[in-house]
Amino acid sequence: MERKKNVVRHRAPIDKSSFVFGTRSVIEAIKAGKEVEKILVRKGLSNELSRELFSLVREMDIPVQNVPIERIDRITRKNHQGVLAFLSPITYQKIENVIPGIYEKGEVPLVLVLDKISDVRNFGAIARSAEVAGAHAIVIPEKGAAQINADALKTSAGALNIIPVCRVKSLSDTIIFLRESGLNVLASTEKGEKNYFETSMQEPTAIVMGAEDKGIESELLKLANAWVKIPQFGQIASLNVSVAASVLIFEAVRQRIQAHS
């Protein structure tokens, strides 16, 4: 993606039904099998109950952010005890399980890897295009990704309830896994030497998209098999990332249909 400064991000108002607060309430939510998006914990929090929470969080591999108490206060003024958990409306899947399943069905994997796309509307729009195109999965990082909330679900037109979303600790490790699993990893960047339509997407493919303000992290660019670009002839610096993702996804669809016609 082309880099663009001063990107306006759309963040939806927080739905009060999408979080629980209080140390014991959060512990019970986790034990009840609720899918937790992330947990906000007041900096310096340390007591017996919080230690139980931290142990459970490590066991369940749930993202935690240590934040000033004011951030939690902005969400709720009730007795949160310095702990608030955002609940996810979807169940995350493991990419290590998704990829073998695609091959077992005799299908050619098409996966999207989103590097810190934090705008919920962009994320929802990408999910919608990906599902319509028949993509098999979306990979997002634990930190820096858009929260999957009611606004994201609405923008996706329900696609986030259908397409597997895989949340991973390390995008770098995941890209290595995808390459080792036989996927050709293409990074969408203005630095690409080839136009996107000059690169084959008929084989197993993973497309990496970066946030509009920062693009794809250099570490991830180095791991990609190839860099591709979308040619631009106007004066505006870049395409919206959801539009760019749609262009690339449906190019893969076009190529695959053409190959079987």
Side-chain angles (χ1 to χ4, degrees), residues 15 40 75 82 91 100 102 105 111 160 205 220 234 237 253 260:
D15 177 2
L40 304 183
I75 300 170
T91 299
I102 300 168
K105 293 177 182 177
V111 174
L160 285 168
T205 300
L220 302 183
V253 172
H260 291 90

Side-chain angles (χ1 to χ4, degrees), residues 42-204:
R42 173 179 62 82
K43 288 182 178 178
L45 182 64
S46 179
N47 54 47
E48 186 175 347
L49 199 56
S50 68
R51 286 190 285 274
E52 180 184 346
L53 172 64
F54 296 149
S55 176
L56 187 60
V57 162
R58 286 192 294 271
E59 178 185 344
M60 302 301 293
D61 205 20
I62 298 171
V64 174
Q65 291 182 10
N66 293 303
V67 300
I69 195 168
E70 291 80 10
R71 180 171 175 188
I72 303 176
D73 285 340
R74 286 196 295 269
I75 300 170
T76 180
R77 285 287 184 174
K78 295 184 179 180
N79 185 24
H80 53 65
Q81 301 169 317
V83 177
L84 184 144
F86 288 100
L87 303 180
S88 173
I90 70 166
T91 299
Y92 293 106
Q93 300 191 35
K94 294 186 179 295
I95 191 66
E96 296 85 356
N97 297 333
V98 171
I99 296 300
I102 300 168
Y103 282 123
E104 287 172 8
K105 293 177 182 177
E107 298 178 0
V108 181
L110 178 59
V111 174
L112 278 177
V113 179
L114 306 183
D115 180 21
K116 295 184 177 64
I117 292 176
S118 58
D119 186 305
V120 294
R121 296 181 189 176
N122 277 337
F123 179 72
I126 290 170
R128 183 174 184 173
S129 294
E131 201 287 322
V132 169
H136 295 95
I138 296 173
V139 178
I140 60 174
E142 281 188 358
K143 297 181 179 179
Q147 183 185 347
I148 299 180
N149 55 19
D151 200 47
L153 282 171
K154 181 179 179 181
T155 308
S156 78
L160 285 168
N161 290 317
I162 302 172
I163 189 168
V165 179
C166 307
R167 185 173 62 180
V168 300
K169 275 191 172 182
S170 169
L171 287 181
S172 297
D173 290 346
T174 300
I175 287 176
I176 291 171
F177 166 76
L178 292 172
R179 290 185 57 169
E180 291 176 347
S181 299
L183 278 74
N184 187 37
V185 178
L186 304 178
S188 173
T189 170
E190 80 281 358
K191 301 174 184 176
E193 295 182 356
K194 287 187 176 182
N195 292 318
Y196 70 97
F197 48 79
E198 297 174 318
T199 302
S200 175
M201 301 184 198
Q202 295 176 22
E203 66 270 22

